[in-house]
Amino acid sequence: MANRYDPNPFAEEEEVNPFANPGSIPPASNSRLSPLPPEPVGFGYGRTVDIPLDNDRSGTQNLKKKEKELQAKEAELRRREQDVKRREDAAARAGVNIEVKNWPPFFPLIHHDIANEIPVHLQRLQYVTFATYLGLVLCLFWNIIAVTTAWIKGEGVTIWLLAVIYFIAGVPGGYVLWYRPLYRAFRTDSALSFGWFFLFYMLHILFSVFAAVAPPVVFKGKSLAGILPAVDVLSGNTLVGILYFIGFAFFCLESVVSIWVIQQVYMYFRGSGKQDELRREAARGALRAAV
């Protein structure tokens, strides 16, 4: 129901002329809101905007400075590359091979690239030889563990010191004295490198066999995890005896694989005619020494 106070919708509305004088137009009788005051409308065409030019200048100067620094670094890198290339070319002309350390990958210590530097038909033998070198490292490391346990159980500190000496001398010694010469012999086909390898690899095999047995020659043999000290300490301490038996197994495996390696290398050495070449080089060396 419509409110009784509402105006009559059927009443005649007052006509208003929109073109009449604005001041003479009466306000609508039914308007409840007062008209808004007029506001000037402007689009800011006559205003000036201040643009900070100092920031742009400093930014441009910084960019130019960075660009100059990058150009200087690029020139320095280019100069170093040319210097390295010049040295490599000079070394290549002089017959010197520059070897980059690349193994192990996480902390390069030596240069080792069998796949690219060793002939294909010799790569398998070189890999097995490398396995015997890693096996020697494992044997000597396990020997330290076994001997350390024996020392803790009351066997004395002297055998532990000897085990550490074996590891410190054997790991780099094996690489320098017999593994690297064979690597060089396969890569350059040098008869002298073959002779060097045969000499020290035989010593390596003798040491592996001696360690596997560990006779009571030095401190009752307990500085090496061999079969004889394993039987000796097993009755006193089971844990130490088990560790020594594991070391004995490692040294036995190292000895067997090493014997196979030296047989294969010797067969290749004789078949390739390097034996006669080695004899000639030895004769020339003896002659020069005599003269």
Side-chain angles (χ1 to χ4, degrees), residues 36-88:
L36 295 173
E39 294 181 358
V41 179
F43 297 95
Y45 289 118
R47 298 179 183 176
T48 59
V49 180
D50 294 333
I51 300 175
L53 299 178
D54 294 338
N55 293 335
D56 292 345
R57 292 195 190 99
S58 61
T60 304
Q61 292 176 357
N62 291 334
L63 289 176
K64 290 183 178 179
K65 184 178 179 181
K66 291 181 179 180
E67 184 178 359
K68 290 181 180 179
E69 291 177 355
L70 290 176
Q71 291 177 354
K73 291 180 180 180
E74 184 179 358
E76 180 67 17
L77 290 175
R78 191 181 300 109
R79 185 187 64 80
R80 290 182 180 181
E81 290 178 357
Q82 292 177 355
D83 190 16
V84 171
K85 188 175 184 304
R86 184 171 60 254
R87 292 180 181 179
E88 290 179 352

Side-chain angles (χ1 to χ4, degrees), residues 103-177:
W103 196 91
F106 55 88
F107 189 72
L109 294 174
I110 61 175
H111 175 77
H112 195 255
D113 192 5
I114 296 177
N116 296 321
E117 294 181 344
I118 305 301
V120 177
H121 62 284
L122 297 174
Q123 289 182 6
R124 177 173 174 268
L125 184 55
Q126 186 67 50
Y127 277 120
V128 177
T129 308
F130 186 60
T132 61
Y133 173 70
L134 296 180
L136 175 65
V137 176
L138 176 62
C139 289
L140 295 178
F141 181 74
W142 185 264
N143 185 71
I144 290 179
I145 295 176
V147 174
T148 302
T149 308
W151 169 39
I152 294 174
K153 296 300 181 179
E155 293 295 338
V157 68
T158 307
I159 59 175
W160 181 81
L161 293 175
L162 287 174
V164 173
I165 292 174
Y166 298 153
F167 184 84
I168 295 175
V171 172
Y175 177 78
V176 174
L177 295 177

Side-chain angles (χ1 to χ4, degrees), residues 24-25 43 58 64 68-69 75 77 113 127 134 136 150 179-180 192 208 227-228 233 235 243 252:
S24 63
I25 298 175
F43 297 95
S58 61
K64 290 183 178 179
K68 290 181 180 179
E69 291 177 355
L77 290 175
D113 192 5
Y127 277 120
L134 296 180
L136 175 65
Y179 179 74
R180 195 62 189 174
L192 188 61
S208 299
I227 183 63
L228 295 182
V233 301
S235 59
L243 294 177
C252 286

